[in-house]
Amino acid sequence: MTSSWHGLMENGGRVPEWPYPVRYEQEQEIETDVLVIGGGIAGCWAALSAARTKGVRVALVEKAATVRSGAGGPGGDHWDYAMTCPLMKVDPFVQCQNIIDGQSGYSNGIGHAIECQEGYDAFLEIEKMGAKMRDTNDEFVGAPGRDDKTKLVVASRYGQENNSLRFWGTTVKPTLKKECERLGVRIFDRIMGTSLLNERGIHGARVAGATGVNTRTGEFMIFKAKAVILATAGIGSVWVFNTELAGISTFRSRNASGDGTVMAYRAGAEVTMMEKSGLLYLGTGYKHKIDSGGNDPVFENVPSVDDNGKALPPGYGVSRDAVLKGEFSLPFWGDFPGMSEGWRKINWDLGYQEESTALAMRRCFEEAGYDPTKDLMMNHTLIEGSMPAHFRSPDSMNDRGGVVVDWNLRTTLEGLYAAGEQMFAPAAHGYAAATGRYAGRKAAAYASGASRPVISREQIVREKARVYAPTKRKEGIEWKELHAGMARMMQYFCSEYKTEKLLNMGLDALNEIEEDFVPKLYALDPHKLLRSLEDLNILTFSQLIIRGSLARKASSRPLNFQRIDYPQMDPPEWKKFITLKLVNGKVEVGDLPHGYWGDLKENYEAHNKDYKGVYAG
Amino acid sequence: MKSTRKQEAIKRRDFLKVSAAAGAAVTLEGAGGALRGAEDGKDKVYILPNVTTPNRPVIRDPEVCNGCNTCVNVCQVDVYVPNPEKGKPPITLHPDECWYCGCCVNECPLRERGAIKFNWPLQWRGFYKRKATGEVFRVGSSVQKDGKGDSARRLK
C-alpha cells in the first residue's frame, strides 16, 4: 500500500471508508464563560489571558490543530512595535500615531495602541512560558542589532527604523498551547465556528455563544458562552483561486476564509474598510515562495544585483523601462554573499529559519547545495512580467477590512469581542499577541459580571439546516468550482477598474451564484463540507467588498481603491471609514470618522487603570 | 552535479528492492495516472480522474515511517488522512490544498531518518547562481549532489 490516494486503488480497487466516524446532525453542547473562536496567535493569547481571571471558564475552538495552526503556527521571525522594550527609542503612542498616519488614518488605532503599549509585556510573558525570544546561545554575537547586555536582537527590516524584535517563532505555538492547557482552557481542535448565537435568537442582540462543525466527523457543536472572542484569520483567495500553480494558497493557508468577520456581520455587528484591497505580491504561487513574508525568495535586507552583478536600487525600484533600455539585465539575484556576515546570519539563520513557512524550503535549498556565503538566489521581479490587475487581495500586509471594535476590543454587539487581524487590522505576530491578550482580559471581566446566556433552539435548527444542506446532495456544484466562479466574478467586476456599473454587475453575479448555485452545492464528506462552508463565507465577504466599494464614491490611494467614475483621490469629505451592518435582512451603510478612538494615550489609560503589566501569577 | 546513468540504475534497484520487501501491493508512489500493480504479475488499470496538481507535497519512505500520524495531526488543512492499515504511512488525500507550510515535515519524529521529505512542487523550485563561477543551478532536479538526498542541476 502506498501513500497516494490512487495507490490505494490497488487494494482490490476498493475506496476506503472515511477514516473518521461521520456524525452529521449529532449535537454536542458545551457551556463556558468565555469562548474563543480561532486558535492562532491571537486566539491562544485571548484564551490564556481570559483564563488568568479567577473562576472564568474558557473554551478555545480551532479549525485545525492548535499546536501549529494559524499564520504564526509554523513560525515567525519578527515582533513589531514592542515599543516599551528599553531598546526601543520611540514613545509607544508616538509610534502608534506614526503607524496610523502611515496609512492615512485607515488603520485600527485602538489595536495599534495596544500593540505598542502592551506588546513587549506579551513578549516577556511568552519567554517566561518557555519560547525562545533572545539569543541565549550567543549565535548572533556581533550581528547588527544584537544587544550584548540583554541578548535581544533588534534587527530592522527593509532598512526601516528599529522597531522589530527578532525571535525564534518556531518555538511559540506549542508553548502557547501548553500554557492554555496549564490554565485549564478546554481546547476543541478541528472545529470550524459556523455562526454566532444571539441572546434568545434575536438578531443584533447580545452574543451568547456560537455553533460549530467538526471538520473530520461533521458533528454539530453548540457553545453557550457569556462572552465570545473572535480570533479567526483574515481572508485569502477572494480574487485568485488556483490550485495548479499555487497549491491552494494565495499567501495564507486555505483555512483563511474570513469566518469571524462574516459570522459577526451575520449576527448584526458592524464591519468596516471592506473596500480596501492590496496588490497581491505575496506567495501567489506565480511567485516562488521560500517565505510567505516576502514577495520573493529574496527579501528584507538582501541587496539585489542584476545578472551582471550591477547593484539594483533598494526595494523593488527597477522599472520595466529600465530593463527595456538595457540599464539592467534580467534575471535579478539576491546577493547573499555580498552581505556582511552579521546581516547574512540574521537573514539566513534567523529569518529563513524561523519565519512562518521558510524552514522546510530553506532545507530544500541547502540540500541542493545552496550556500549563502557563495551563492546568489534568484529574484523573480519582472521575469514573470507585469502583474495582472486582478492580483488583488483584501489580505494585504497592512490593515484590511474587518469588525469594528471599541476600547475594550468589543464589537458593536454586547458580549462579542475581537482580536488579531480580523478587526480591520494587520497580520502581524506582535499585534495578534497583544490584542489577543487584551481581548481575553476584557472579555473575562465582562463575563465575570454577566448573566448566564440564553440561546434559542430555533436559531440552532436554522443553522443546522444551513450547515448540512450540502451533505444532502450527491451532485450539483462542488466547492472548488463555486470558489473559482466567485473569484472570477471578483476579477471581472471588482478589480482595478471600479465603476458603479461594474460593481453592480458584480453584486448581481454574486447574488445569482447565491440564489442559483449555492442551493446545488454538494459535499461528499466532512472535509468537503468544511470547504463548502468556507466558500459561503467567502461569498458573503465578497459581497461585502462590493457593497463597501459601491458605498465609497471617491478614489483612495491608501485603500488601493480606484473608482473610474469618481476619480478624485482622497477628497477630504471621504476621509472616513465606511461601515456595513445587517439590519432586517438589508445592508445598512454608515460611517465612522477617522480617529474615532479619540486621544490614544488618554483613552488607553482611562480603559486600563487596573492593568498590571507582565503577568506574575 | 553530473548526471550519471549509474546513479539512475542505483535508484531503480533501490525501488525494486523496496517493492520486493513490501510485498506485492507496492507501486511507485505518486507516479501520476498509471498504476503498476504487481499483483498476479499483471498491470491493472483503473478508472480514475486526473490526479490533482500539485499532488505530492511530501515523499515518504514506507520503510521508515511507522504510521504515527504526527503529520496528520499537525496539518493545518488536512492534506493527509491516516492509512486504513495501522502502522503504514498516511494517505495524501488533499494535496491540492497544501500551502507548503512544512509543519508535517518539521514535526516528524523520524524526519532525520528520512520518513518524510518536503517535495517542493516543480513550479516553485528556486534557482541559484554560484557567484564565483556564474554557474546556475535549479533546486531539486534528479541529479544527486554531495551525496545528499535532494539535488540541484546545473543549467547551461
Side-chain angles (χ1 to χ4, degrees):
Chain A
M1 181 164 296
T2 77
S3 55
S4 68
W5 184 83
H6 53 262
L8 281 173
M9 295 304 289
E10 282 180 274
N11 194 13
R14 289 188 304 275
V15 179
E17 262 190 65
W18 188 245
Y20 309 105
V22 176
R23 301 195 176 115
Y24 292 148
E25 308 280 353
Q26 292 179 37
E27 293 178 10
Q28 202 184 132
E29 192 171 306
I30 283 103
E31 188 165 341
T32 186
D33 296 318
V34 174
L35 173 70
V36 182
I37 305 179
I41 301 298
C44 281
W45 273 103
L48 70 88
S49 162
R52 286 167 176 174
T53 303
K54 270 217 173 98
V56 170
R57 298 167 299 169
V58 181
L60 174 66
V61 167
E62 161 58 45
K63 196 149 69 165
T66 303
V67 68
R68 283 290 175 204
S69 62
D77 77 323
H78 64 275
W79 185 301
D80 285 338
Y81 307 125
M83 303 315 293
T84 62
C85 170
L87 299 174
M88 300 294 173
K89 307 240 171 353
V90 184
D91 173 81
F93 294 101
V94 171
Q95 181 64 56
C96 178
Q97 194 58 52
N98 288 345
I99 298 169
I100 298 165
D101 294 346
Q103 293 175 54
S104 308
Y106 294 102
S107 179
N108 187 337
I110 296 167
H112 283 299
I114 294 163
E115 173 188 35
C116 292
Q117 182 62 23
E118 297 187 10
Y120 188 57
D121 294 346
F123 184 97
L124 294 175
E125 285 176 7
I126 183 77
E127 182 177 37
K128 273 168 86 176
M129 293 172 209
K132 182 172 160 68
M133 305 305 277
R134 51 188 104 205
D135 182 27
T136 42
N137 298 336
D138 297 329
E139 292 165 75
F140 294 88
V141 175
R146 202 268 190 187
D147 180 61
D148 291 338
K149 204 168 133 217
T150 60
K151 304 194 180 193
L152 290 170
V153 181
V154 189
S156 63
R157 308 170 62 228
Y158 306 105
Q160 288 171 355
E161 60 184 298
N162 285 355
N163 50 29
S164 282
L165 285 174
R166 298 288 176 166
F167 70 111
W168 285 256
T170 56
T171 63
V172 166
K173 215 51 210 310
T175 305
L176 284 174
K177 188 191 176 197
K178 225 167 91 190
E179 182 69 357
C180 284
E181 286 168 339
R182 192 184 72 81
L183 290 165
V185 174
R186 293 175 73 188
I187 297 176
F188 296 87
D189 279 346
R190 307 285 172 192
I191 306 288
M192 175 190 182
T194 66
S195 75
L196 297 170
L197 296 170
N198 295 100
E199 182 101 302
R200 297 176 201 281
I202 299 163
H203 186 255
R206 171 198 174 190
V207 170
T211 61
V213 65
N214 187 303
T215 66
R216 288 177 168 179
T217 68
E219 185 178 24
F220 196 76
M221 307 293 290
I222 300 163
F223 295 92
K224 287 166 78 172
K226 291 176 183 168
V228 176
I229 304 171
L230 293 172
T232 56
I235 191 163
S237 63
V238 168
W239 278 269
V240 181
F241 180 74
N242 179 322
T243 65
E244 279 70 27
L245 285 168
I248 210 161
S249 166
T250 55
F251 177 39
R252 290 293 176 75
S253 103
R254 164 66 267 154
N255 286 344
S257 50
D259 301 346
T261 300
V262 171
M263 276 190 275
Y265 167 76
R266 288 190 189 134
E270 220 166 69
V271 298
T272 191
M273 235 163 68
M274 298 304 286
E275 70 277 25
K276 183 181 178 187
S277 66
L279 278 173
L280 185 72
Y281 293 105
L282 301 148
T284 60
Y286 299 104
K287 298 277 171 193
H288 283 253
K289 177 183 163 184
I290 185 166
D291 167 89
S292 53
N295 57 9
D296 213 89
V298 179
F299 78 114
E300 293 211 353
N301 306 301
V302 184
S304 292
V305 293
D306 83 343
D307 202 42
N308 301 318
K310 182 177 172 186
L312 305 185
Y316 297 87
V318 175
S319 69
R320 194 169 170 270
D321 282 352
V323 173
L324 290 177
K325 281 184 202 146
E327 288 168 27
F328 295 98
S329 298
L330 292 170
F332 301 151
W333 301 90
D335 190 4
F336 280 84
M339 301 174 86
S340 71
E341 199 190 325
W343 267 124
R344 187 166 54 237
K345 225 174 142 41
I346 295 275
N347 265 60
W348 190 250
D349 292 333
L350 219 165
Y352 285 72
Q353 174 82 20
E354 297 294 328
E355 166 71 345
S356 189
T357 58
L359 177 56
M361 301 175 204
R362 172 197 148 117
R363 207 182 283 129
C364 276
F365 266 90
E366 289 194 331
E367 286 177 356
Y370 178 79
D371 179 344
T373 66
K374 294 183 183 146
D375 300 322
L376 307 158
M377 193 183 282
M378 197 167 83
N379 173 315
H380 304 96
T381 304
L382 292 181
I383 64 172
E384 294 168 287
S386 303
M387 208 167 286
H390 63 252
F391 278 29
R392 272 153 192 275
S393 169
D395 216 2
S396 66
M397 286 302 281
N398 294 320
D399 308 16
R400 82 294 314 275
V403 186
V404 174
V405 288
D406 66 13
W407 273 105
N408 289 323
L409 293 188
R410 209 200 82 175
T411 68
T412 56
L413 298 184
E414 188 184 344
L416 184 64
Y417 296 76
E421 65 175 310
Q422 94 205 297
M423 47 153 172
F424 67 111
H429 193 112
Y431 185 96
T435 56
R437 181 172 169 275
Y438 186 101
R441 192 165 90 222
K442 297 295 184 184
Y446 166 81
S448 299
S451 58
R452 279 191 66 185
V454 182
I455 59 174
S456 138
R457 185 67 212 167
E458 200 197 322
Q459 192 177 358
I460 288 167
V461 170
R462 233 180 11 248
E463 177 62 3
K464 280 182 86 170
R466 184 187 80 88
V467 163
Y468 291 115
T471 67
K472 312 258 193 267
R473 291 177 282 269
K474 295 279 182 204
E475 58 184 15
I477 188 164
E478 225 248 346
W479 72 271
K480 283 171 98 172
E481 188 181 348
L482 191 83
H483 196 144
M486 300 187 299
R488 181 65 90 187
M489 293 311 102
M490 292 301 280
Q491 290 172 19
Y492 282 162
F493 301 118
C494 191
S495 193
E496 187 171 359
Y497 303 106
K498 294 187 178 74
T499 69
E500 204 80 2
K501 170 79 182 177
L502 286 170
L503 291 168
N504 275 316
M505 281 176 79
L507 197 56
D508 206 28
L510 290 178
N511 291 346
E512 184 236 15
I513 286 177
E514 185 174 8
E515 286 155 23
D516 295 348
F517 290 91
V518 169
K520 297 186 183 108
L521 187 61
Y522 73 101
L524 297 175
D525 61 52
H527 181 83
K528 294 176 183 65
L529 177 61
L530 151 77
R531 297 295 175 232
S532 302
L533 294 171
E534 287 176 339
D535 273 3
L536 300 183
N537 288 348
I538 292 167
L539 175 57
T540 303
F541 204 106
S542 302
Q543 288 164 326
L544 289 173
I545 290 171
I546 297 190
R547 293 277 186 190
S549 301
L550 279 165
R552 182 172 291 278
K553 302 202 189 300
S555 294
S556 169
R557 195 155 283 126
L559 295 173
N560 192 31
F561 184 79
Q562 186 133 11
R563 287 284 304 245
I564 306 300
D565 42 1
Y566 296 97
Q568 202 189 340
M569 274 295 169
D570 298 297
E573 69 273 21
W574 280 96
K575 288 190 175 174
K576 60 183 178 183
F577 294 106
I578 304 260
T579 60
L580 302 170
K581 192 165 108 173
L582 188 62
V583 181
N584 298 326
K586 292 233 157 67
V587 187
E588 195 178 274
V589 177
D591 56 38
L592 268 177
H594 275 179
Y596 73 86
W597 40 79
D599 184 272
L600 291 167
K601 188 164 196 267
E602 239 171 60
N603 278 303
Y604 170 81
E605 282 168 359
H607 285 86
N608 292 285
K609 287 187 183 123
D610 55 346
Y611 178 61
K612 293 186 181 69
V614 178
Y615 181 63
Chain B
M1 233 74 62
K2 273 185 287 178
S3 170
T4 65
R5 288 211 176 120
K6 195 174 158 197
Q7 278 165 334
E8 291 302 313
I10 289 168
K11 272 194 191 164
R12 188 163 166 71
R13 264 210 309 279
D14 285 348
F15 164 66
L16 293 172
K17 203 166 70 195
V18 170
S19 304
V26 165
T27 185
L28 188 60
E29 178 205 1
L35 292 169
R36 281 173 281 173
E39 215 174 348
D40 306 322
K42 278 194 294 190
D43 285 355
K44 269 195 182 174
V45 178
Y46 296 87
I47 295 176
L48 288 172
N50 281 331
V51 175
T52 51
T53 312
N55 63 76
R56 203 186 185 194
V58 296
I59 297 168
R60 298 175 186 278
D61 185 342
E63 297 283 270
V64 180
C65 173
N66 62 9
C68 75
N69 290 326
T70 299
C71 54
V72 177
N73 295 331
V74 298
C75 179
Q76 293 199 352
V77 288
D78 271 346
V79 167
Y80 316 108
V81 292
N83 197 306
E85 231 181 290
K86 269 215 163 85
K88 298 283 181 192
I91 307 299
T92 302
L93 184 62
H94 306 120
D96 49 337
E97 295 181 22
C98 183
W99 72 303
Y100 300 88
C101 74
C103 288
C104 55
V105 178
N106 299 339
E107 299 282 310
C108 174
L110 297 173
R111 182 182 66 78
E112 299 272 334
R113 288 175 51 199
I116 190 169
K117 197 166 153 26
F118 193 71
N119 185 39
W120 227 358
L122 182 59
Q123 63 268 40
W124 280 4
R125 290 180 178 234
F127 292 77
Y128 67 87
K129 178 159 92 167
R130 190 129 294 176
K131 199 173 184 178
T133 62
E135 296 166 291
V136 173
F137 300 92
R138 180 161 188 191
V139 171
S141 62
S142 59
V143 186
Q144 298 279 323
K145 183 175 183 288
D146 300 327
K148 286 194 178 170
D150 212 337
S151 52
R153 182 184 167 113
R154 186 163 48 126
L155 302 175
K156 299 224 164 71

